[in-house]
Amino acid sequence: MRGLEEEFIPSTPGKFKDKTYYSSNRQFHRCFASTSTMFLWALFLLALTASYLSFQSFMDSGTRYLSSTGSLHWEKQVRDSAQIHRVNGMSVLVTGAAGFVGSHVSIALKKRGDGVVGIDNFNNYYDPSLKKARKNLLNLQNVYLIEGDINDVRMLTKLFDIVAFTHVMHLAAQAGVRYAMENPKSYVHSNIAGLVTLLEACKNANPQPAIVWASSSSVYGLNEKVPFSESDRTDQPASLYAATKKAGEEITHTYNHIYGLSITGLRFFTVYGPWGRPDMAYFSFTRNILQGKPITVYRGKNRVDLARDFTYIDDIVKGCVGSLDTAGKSTGSGGKKRAPAMFRIFNLGNTSPVTVPMMVAMLEKHLKVKAKKHVLDMPGNGDVPFTHANISLAHKELGYKPTTNLQTGLGKFVRWYLSYYGYSQEKSIK
Ligand SMILES: O=C(O)[C@H]1O[C@H](OP(=O)(O)OP(=O)(O)OC[C@H]2O[C@@H](n3ccc(=O)[nH]c3=O)[C@H](O)[C@@H]2O)[C@H](O)[C@@H](O)[C@@H]1O
């Protein structure tokens, strides 16, 4: 038979299991020689352990009650953040709100009086400390940011239960064209599975929100007709990233068709600016140039320079907000479509492509440092040789009109970069 001590002391390793207790310590035996004294001590230890355990569980549940998803405190924070503070305002759930575009859009909406709740999974695709810093910016604007994944059905259901979001601005995604060769599954996880999970939650919500979401200029893939128009073919993606964004356009169409969700897909063209993404060329080039490290500049077939229709973040934010403002209502309820709903796709670009070497020259000018360039033939890694947006549709429907050219926008980016990473002007500009 097991003794009393064995009966009540936890058998799994943990803070309550004190190995010295079991050892045949002579002093211990001397002090507790009589059986009755030992029995009393055992009872005492038992009571002590029991009260400690119940205190622990009380503390645990108390902390959970205060901070975890679904707790009353959490609900209050979500409701407060979703509160609308202007006439005819909207209540927007922003996914990827700690991301580059997500943080800028969230702040713009909050500043004009809309309700905003953010979600972000803070993954480590790039330095999460930058995402935390963006979160701090959102906190200052009273935007509540939930640390969660769009694949979390329970969390999404709970959110739509407590807030009647009028709109969802869906910007959470696995971004980056070339990283898809390293980690293909993350694209499926976020851009396909995550999108479907979110659309399911939106379709079940009552009222259903209108959805505006980030597609990508990369869907034009090997299209050679310039500038790229929304009606051009998009069935030749050059990367898995592009393929998942194209799939997103088809998936959202299905939810529009079957469930009456109002959908606006935005094809962003190489968005850049302050608080940008460190994985993008303009950002990593800046870092390397300042650190005296070489940069690799890819070159296309027949030594032709690659070019991008680089688009400044503030212009993109205007396009996002314009899309939210003009989005029609979703028409479904109880998971059923009641009438046809809006389905739109827009290019959000700058309409003036710049070659990558020219972009580097602009950075050199702003940084006043010469880059050490390695020119390399473009590897077959999913890149496309050029992008160029036709934005007449967005101009007509959204009033979209980009106003910042690359030279000016990179200047703003460089100023932010130097200040954020603690470069004094003298230190960086030799
Ligand atoms: O517009 C878009 O749809 C896409 O824009 C960017 O993709 P990308 O245009 O490839 O942007 P960067 O990664 O910053 O590359 C810009 C250019 O610099 C070139 N590059 C990149 C990296 C490098 O080391 N060297 C180099 O020459 C690329 O080939 C490309 O021509 C984003 O990373 C995607 O998430 C987004 O969807």
Side-chain angles (χ1 to χ4, degrees):
M1 246 182 71
R2 294 165 75 198
L4 259 180
E5 298 94 330
E6 284 172 73
E7 202 70 49
F8 291 101
I9 290 183
S11 59
T12 49
K15 29 186 162 179
F16 302 112
K17 184 172 179 177
D18 182 355
K19 280 186 186 145
T20 58
Y21 185 86
Y22 296 100
S23 69
S24 52
N25 184 317
R26 282 203 191 95
Q27 271 192 331
F28 178 91
H29 282 288
R30 239 178 277 138
C31 292
F32 302 101
S34 85
T35 322
S36 56
T37 320
M38 275 184 73
F39 181 69
L40 283 173
W41 270 101
L43 271 181
F44 173 68
L45 282 172
L46 186 67
L48 205 66
T49 309
S51 56
Y52 182 71
L53 280 174
S54 57
F55 178 69
Q56 274 285 95
S57 90
F58 169 77
M59 288 301 285
D60 283 356
S61 59
T63 318
R64 240 177 290 137
Y65 173 80
L66 280 177
S67 60
S68 68
T69 306
S71 69
L72 289 179
H73 182 62
W74 180 86
E75 281 191 19
K76 186 180 172 339
Q77 284 174 296
V78 169
R79 278 204 186 91
D80 288 351
S81 195
Q83 199 73 47
I84 300 168
H85 294 284
R86 71 181 176 99
V87 182
N88 295 328
M90 47 182 83
S91 182
V92 190
L93 176 64
V94 180
T95 71
F100 173 32
V101 181
S103 53
H104 280 276
V105 172
S106 299
I107 290 170
L109 291 171
K110 195 72 181 184
K111 275 190 172 164
R112 67 176 202 173
D114 292 319
V116 180
V117 176
I119 309 179
D120 203 291
N121 70 2
F122 290 86
N123 70 25
N124 60 3
Y125 167 58
Y126 63 78
D127 181 12
S129 76
L130 182 57
K131 300 180 185 182
K132 296 278 176 206
R134 295 189 194 119
K135 181 183 179 176
N136 293 340
L137 284 186
L138 295 179
N139 277 344
L140 291 174
Q141 299 293 332
N142 297 318
V143 175
Y144 183 58
L145 180 49
I146 298 162
E147 187 157 349
D149 197 295
I150 48 166
N151 283 285
D152 185 343
V153 180
R154 271 184 58 207
M155 187 262 293
L156 289 179
T157 309
K158 182 84 196 163
L159 267 177
F160 282 106
D161 275 352
I162 59 178
V163 177
F165 290 108
T166 56
H167 296 75
V168 169
M169 181 82 227
H170 175 47
L171 298 165
Q174 177 55 63
V177 175
R178 289 162 291 279
Y179 179 64
M181 291 180 73
E182 252 174 76
N183 190 358
K185 282 188 178 166
S186 69
Y187 290 80
V188 177
H189 175 81
S190 295
N191 304 358
I192 305 285
L195 175 66
V196 171
T197 310
L198 180 72
L199 290 170
E200 280 291 314
C202 293
K203 146 223 151 184
N204 292 330
N206 200 1
Q208 288 178 336
I211 298 162
V212 178
W213 74 286
S215 181
S216 157
S217 72
S218 64
V219 298
Y220 290 108
L222 305 180
N223 178 41
E224 285 187 346
K225 182 182 154 289
V226 278
F228 300 163
S229 298
E230 288 84 349
S231 55
D232 289 351
R233 65 186 291 194
T234 51
D235 56 354
Q236 315 166 85
S239 65
L240 181 68
Y241 169 69
T244 61
K245 285 295 182 181
K246 174 64 184 166
E249 293 187 355
E250 312 293 13
I251 291 167
T252 51
H253 184 269
T254 311
Y255 277 79
N256 167 268
H257 174 67
I258 302 179
Y259 302 110
L261 283 178
S262 162
I263 302 284
T264 305
L266 303 175
R267 293 177 179 165
F268 293 161
F269 282 70
T270 315
V271 189
Y272 73 98
W275 296 96
R277 275 172 35 207
D279 62 309
M280 289 183 66
Y282 73 95
F283 200 120
S284 63
F285 286 177
T286 301
R287 186 177 50 222
N288 282 14
I289 293 171
L290 285 171
Q291 292 176 358
K293 292 181 184 163
I295 60 170
T296 305
V297 177
Y298 297 133
R299 190 173 52 190
K301 266 190 208 149
N302 306 321
R303 307 180 145 234
V304 173
D305 289 334
L306 303 179
R308 287 291 180 274
D309 198 3
F310 296 97
T311 311
Y312 190 62
I313 183 66
D314 291 359
D315 291 324
I316 288 291
V317 169
K318 282 184 204 145
C320 292
V321 172
S323 300
L324 290 166
D325 285 343
T326 53
K329 280 191 171 29
S330 290
T331 61
S333 71
K336 280 218 171 85
K337 174 167 139 185
R338 306 281 165 195
M342 180 181 261
F343 184 85
R344 309 181 292 178
I345 290 189
F346 294 113
N347 284 343
L348 292 187
N350 194 50
T351 64
S352 45
V354 175
T355 66
V356 176
M358 274 169 73
M359 180 265 277
V360 173
M362 289 177 192
L363 283 178
E364 289 177 322
K365 189 166 161 270
H366 287 301
L367 295 166
K368 299 196 175 66
V369 183
K370 267 269 160 273
K372 294 174 186 153
K373 281 175 270 183
H374 284 172
V375 180
L376 208 74
D377 284 339
M378 185 173 82
N381 56 9
D383 252 339
V384 292
F386 61 86
T387 62
H388 182 181
N390 175 336
I391 56 163
S392 38
L393 192 61
H395 178 62
K396 185 165 153 256
E397 304 286 327
L398 313 175
Y400 174 72
K401 198 169 182 286
T403 55
T404 307
N405 64 30
L406 187 60
Q407 175 77 27
T408 310
L410 282 181
K412 292 184 182 187
F413 164 73
V414 164
R415 272 199 296 285
W416 168 81
Y417 187 99
L418 297 177
S419 137
Y420 182 77
Y421 288 104
Y423 284 87
S424 68
Q425 292 289 316
E426 300 81 64
K427 198 165 95 186
S428 62
I429 301 168
K430 291 170 217 147

